[in-house]
Amino acid sequence: MPLQRDMLPLRCPLQSVTPIKKYLSRALTCRAISIGQLGDYEQQKSLLLHALAFDVFAFPPDHPTVASTLCNVAGAFGQLGDHEQQKSLLQRALAIEEAALSPSHPMIAATLLNLALSFGQLGDREQQKLLLLRALTIYEHAFSPDHPTIAVTLDHLADALGRLGDYDLQKTVLELALAVKERVFSPDHQTLAATLGTLSV
């Protein structure tokens, strides 16, 4: 007996597949963030890799959304201690962002900051310092002088300088970070105490 028309398999047009892929990517990313907050970084990594596969299908390869998901995947690898893979993914993300966004875009600074931390974990403190300086320059252009992100970047820069043995400059940078924090946080905030503690050493 010939197949009736209503029994034939339905075919979804390509243009309707793409929004579905985008939705699935967002849903997987949100789920991965929740899983990561629970400490299950292996499952987080798996979900984010699936989200990345959907993004690569739904967007051009140089789209900032792909870069954003690459950064998320890199973060999961970093939490699992695979800093080499983390670094590689962040470098891919940075290349996309630098091609697609303006040089002073905060998204580039955030990737530079995370890439700097991965270099630090791998023991390359000089490269860590250089990347942090680049990130700081962008943040200072994009944000007000008392933005908390600037204080965080200064903290990381001070840590890199200390590990490189440049203690005088480390102290100067910590004092800059402290000045920002004193304008932003209450006097009993723990981040103020942390900076004061480092300065007292």
Side-chain angles (χ1 to χ4, degrees):
M1 185 178 76
L3 285 173
Q4 296 178 16
R5 184 169 297 277
D6 60 359
M7 295 176 62
L8 293 172
L10 297 177
R11 294 187 179 184
C12 189
L14 183 60
Q15 60 265 30
S16 65
V17 171
T18 299
I20 293 172
K21 297 286 187 180
K22 292 178 181 178
Y23 170 79
L24 288 173
S25 174
R26 289 194 296 270
L28 284 168
T29 298
C30 290
R31 177 63 176 160
I33 291 170
S34 298
I35 291 291
Q37 290 171 343
L38 296 173
D40 189 347
Y41 300 115
E42 192 64 50
Q43 178 66 11
Q44 181 187 45
K45 181 188 76 173
S46 177
L47 290 170
L48 288 170
L49 285 170
H50 279 87
L52 180 62
F54 287 135
D55 282 344
V56 170
F57 182 95
F59 297 98
D62 57 351
H63 195 280
T65 298
V66 176
S68 181
T69 306
L70 281 167
C71 288
N72 289 333
V73 177
F77 274 99
Q79 292 288 353
L80 291 166
D82 190 343
H83 300 294
E84 194 64 52
Q85 183 66 20
Q86 179 188 32
K87 181 188 77 172
S88 177
L89 290 164
L90 288 170
Q91 287 172 326
R92 285 176 58 193
L94 182 63
I96 294 171
E97 291 167 356
E98 289 179 330
L101 305 172
S102 69
S104 59
H105 198 288
M107 189 173 171
I108 292 177
T111 304
L112 286 167
L113 175 58
N114 288 322
L115 183 57
L117 297 180
S118 70
F119 271 102
Q121 290 290 338
L122 293 167
D124 191 341
R125 302 297 176 180
E126 186 64 36
Q127 186 65 19
Q128 179 187 20
K129 180 190 76 173
L130 294 174
L131 291 168
L132 287 168
L133 286 169
R134 285 183 61 194
L136 182 62
T137 299
I138 296 173
Y139 281 141
E140 287 177 336
H141 181 270
F143 298 141
S144 64
D146 57 354
H147 196 283
T149 302
I150 292 178
V152 170
T153 309
L154 287 167
D155 276 341
H156 288 304
L157 179 58
D159 178 67
L161 291 167
R163 294 175 186 275
L164 288 167
D166 195 342
Y167 302 115
D168 289 339
L169 188 52
Q170 179 191 33
K171 179 183 177 184
T172 300
V173 172
L174 282 170
E175 288 171 345
L176 290 171
L178 181 62
V180 175
K181 292 177 182 181
E182 286 176 335
R183 294 194 297 269
V184 175
F185 300 113
S186 61
D188 59 347
H189 198 281
Q190 62 181 7
T191 190
L192 274 170
T195 304
L196 286 168
T198 306
L199 276 169
S200 66
V201 174

